[in-house]
Amino acid sequence: MGIHWFILSAVAVILAQRWLFRGFAMKRVSYTRTFSVNRCFEGDRIEMIERLVNRKALPLPWLRVESLLHTGLKFESGANFDVSNGQFYQNHKSLFSLMGYKQLTRRHAVQCVQRGCYRLTGASLTTGDLFGLFKKWTQVPLQEELLVYPLPAEHPELRLPSRSWQGDITVRRWIVEDPFYVTGVRDYQAGDPLKSVNWSATARAGKLQVHRRDYTADYRLLVLLNVEDHEDMWEVVNNTPLIEQGIRYAAGLLQYATEQGLETGFVTNGHDLDVPGVPVATPMGSGNEHLTYLLECMAKLVIARTVPFDELLLQLAEEREERCDLVILSAFMSDKIALAVERLRRAGHSAEWLPIEERREGGAA
């Protein structure tokens, strides 16, 4: 009889713990996942932080957390988690075991190997009893976003054209006179305001003399990126690494121009992650805050053509009255694009083509 009572007792315990864990295992359990930063550059190393809290006396014998993450986030080796890599996404699994009224924080080292906007929208939690007789699954919503900025290309790599926006030089173009830039005096002409009269020079010359003011550049740089990788492209971009290099060129140009005090803007026939089908066209601005805004736009840029690049240039020539220095980043220069560039020049803009080249080993183009 003793062995029978033992078997019955064991079965009763197993069934009791099965009922207990089935009804209460996921009660008062919370899981969160965050990044150590929410903004970084390509190549930076950050941390993904998981935090599990059990606010009840019943322990969690085991809990598995699974989620899909983009392969642009490369996890370094570590214990208690596993990563199954695919071409674009990877399945991340973490395994926890937690006593009652305890919390556990786990940090994973991550290298951001690709520009992009990475959003954590949810994770699946699976738990069960001590003997594996049942499993219970639930979905936990997450709201976490990581923006990885493109790594700006170095100045020597850009091979910048020698244009007015590369320095504080005087030019005689479409720009109006600078009231603070006096280079001498000249004879008074009809229409000159009296406040421009130089009375000392007038007394010496015996006739009205006015300040001579020179022309200075009103520095505005607009970077235009073509996401088409070859001339005969229809819809799909095949050589995305080449276009990624173009985005790095754009980031380097905009960073350099901002450091020189220029107003900058960014236009591309790709689209924003949240606004599909519409080309990206930012307003002009200056300063570090505006540069950060441009980098955020490039982080969210989807490499997919919305309109042919030559059509975008023609539309720009018709709509943009404010004259700018244009740098065109494109892997090729077709006849249609060349005609559109000439149209922009006739509208008063200066335009230079900076070819996008493949990135060789060691990071050089």
Side-chain angles (χ1 to χ4, degrees):
M1 292 293 295
I3 189 64
H4 295 91
W5 281 110
F6 176 79
I7 294 174
L8 289 174
S9 299
V11 170
V13 169
I14 291 173
L15 292 176
Q17 67 87 34
R18 180 177 181 274
W19 172 84
L20 187 63
F21 281 104
R22 178 188 289 273
F24 300 99
M26 296 300 292
K27 298 290 186 182
R28 305 190 67 186
V29 172
S30 63
Y31 172 82
T32 58
R33 177 183 290 180
T34 58
F35 292 108
S36 56
V37 297
N38 55 19
R39 303 287 189 274
C40 66
F41 283 90
E42 277 182 300
D44 286 352
R45 283 178 167 81
I46 64 171
E47 289 183 327
M48 189 183 76
I49 305 166
E50 295 182 291
R51 183 170 289 108
L52 180 67
V53 182
N54 185 12
R55 297 184 178 87
K56 64 180 184 303
L58 184 68
L60 288 172
W62 62 273
L63 177 74
R64 185 174 66 245
V65 181
E66 296 182 78
S67 61
L68 280 178
L69 298 172
H70 197 277
T71 53
L73 301 178
K74 183 179 179 181
F75 288 84
E76 299 180 1
S77 59
N80 299 317
F81 80 93
D82 178 63
V83 176
S84 301
N85 288 319
Q87 183 178 1
F88 300 109
Y89 290 94
Q90 55 190 331
N91 187 32
H92 183 276
K93 300 179 183 178
S94 290
L95 188 64
F96 295 88
S97 179
L98 197 61
M99 297 299 293
Y101 296 111
K102 296 292 183 179
Q103 69 176 6
L104 178 63
T105 300
R106 187 174 293 166
R107 296 175 178 270
H108 305 284
V110 181
Q111 184 178 14
C112 303
V113 297
Q114 184 178 333
R115 166 203 68 88
C117 175
Y118 300 96
R119 289 169 177 167
L120 305 180
T121 58
S124 62
L125 276 59
T126 306
T127 189
D129 64 348
L130 293 168
F131 300 97
L133 297 178
F134 92 99
K135 293 180 180 179
K136 188 170 185 178
W137 174 90
T138 187
Q139 186 77 13
V140 175
L142 300 172
Q143 292 184 342
E144 186 73 10
E145 180 179 276
L146 172 67
L147 285 181
V148 179
Y149 300 149
L151 186 64
E154 297 292 335
H155 186 275
E157 187 179 354
L158 293 173
R159 297 181 291 105
L160 299 175
S162 178
R163 301 299 297 176
S164 62
W165 49 268
Q166 288 198 65
D168 187 17
I169 59 176
T170 301
V171 294
R172 291 183 180 274
R173 291 197 310 208
W174 61 85
I175 310 304
V176 298
E177 289 183 340
D178 187 339
F180 301 103
Y181 199 176
V182 178
T183 59
V185 294
R186 61 173 174 80
D187 292 341
Y188 176 85
Q189 297 176 358
D192 287 336
L194 288 178
K195 63 180 181 181
S196 66
V197 174
N198 186 322
W199 296 108
S200 299
T202 297
R204 291 195 301 269
K207 57 181 179 179
L208 282 175
Q209 301 287 301
V210 296
H211 296 293
R212 177 190 297 153
R213 307 186 190 279
D214 210 342
Y215 298 79
T216 57
D218 190 4
Y219 301 118
R220 296 186 182 92
L221 176 67
L222 187 62
V223 176
L224 301 115
L225 172 67
N226 183 11
V227 300
E228 300 167 357
D229 56 0
H230 62 280
E231 183 174 353
D232 299 322
M233 195 192 89
W234 182 246
E235 290 292 340
V236 179
V237 179
N238 295 317
N239 194 349
T240 54
L242 179 66
I243 306 305
E244 289 289 350
Q245 180 68 357
I247 296 173
R248 297 185 191 100
Y249 281 2
L253 283 167
L254 293 168
Q255 183 183 60
Y256 173 75
T258 299
E259 291 171 353
Q260 303 303 311
L262 280 69
E263 286 191 10
T264 57
F266 177 63
V267 175
T268 178
N269 55 343
H271 68 82
D272 185 273
L273 177 65
D274 300 316
V275 191
V278 179
V280 173
T282 71
M284 302 294 288
S286 60
N288 290 329
E289 186 175 345
H290 182 69
L291 176 62
T292 300
Y293 163 69
L294 296 176
L295 291 173
E296 289 179 356
C297 290
M298 285 185 276
K300 292 184 177 181
L301 177 63
V302 177
I303 301 177
R305 187 183 71 174
T306 55
V307 295
F309 191 60
D310 58 286
E311 292 183 12
L312 181 67
L313 295 181
L314 291 173
Q315 182 180 356
L316 190 71
E318 293 176 359
E319 296 179 354
R320 186 170 289 270
E321 297 179 357
E322 183 183 65
R323 294 170 180 173
C324 302
D325 285 312
L326 310 178
V327 174
I328 297 169
L329 299 172
S330 178
F332 62 93
M333 178 60 69
S334 67
D335 292 340
K336 290 183 178 180
I337 293 177
L339 289 173
V341 171
E342 186 58 32
R343 176 77 174 272
L344 284 165
R345 287 172 176 156
R346 288 200 302 268
H349 307 284
S350 69
E352 295 289 336
W353 172 40
L354 182 61
I356 305 172
E357 298 177 350
E358 293 280 2
R359 196 176 192 182
R360 304 190 185 102
E361 290 189 12

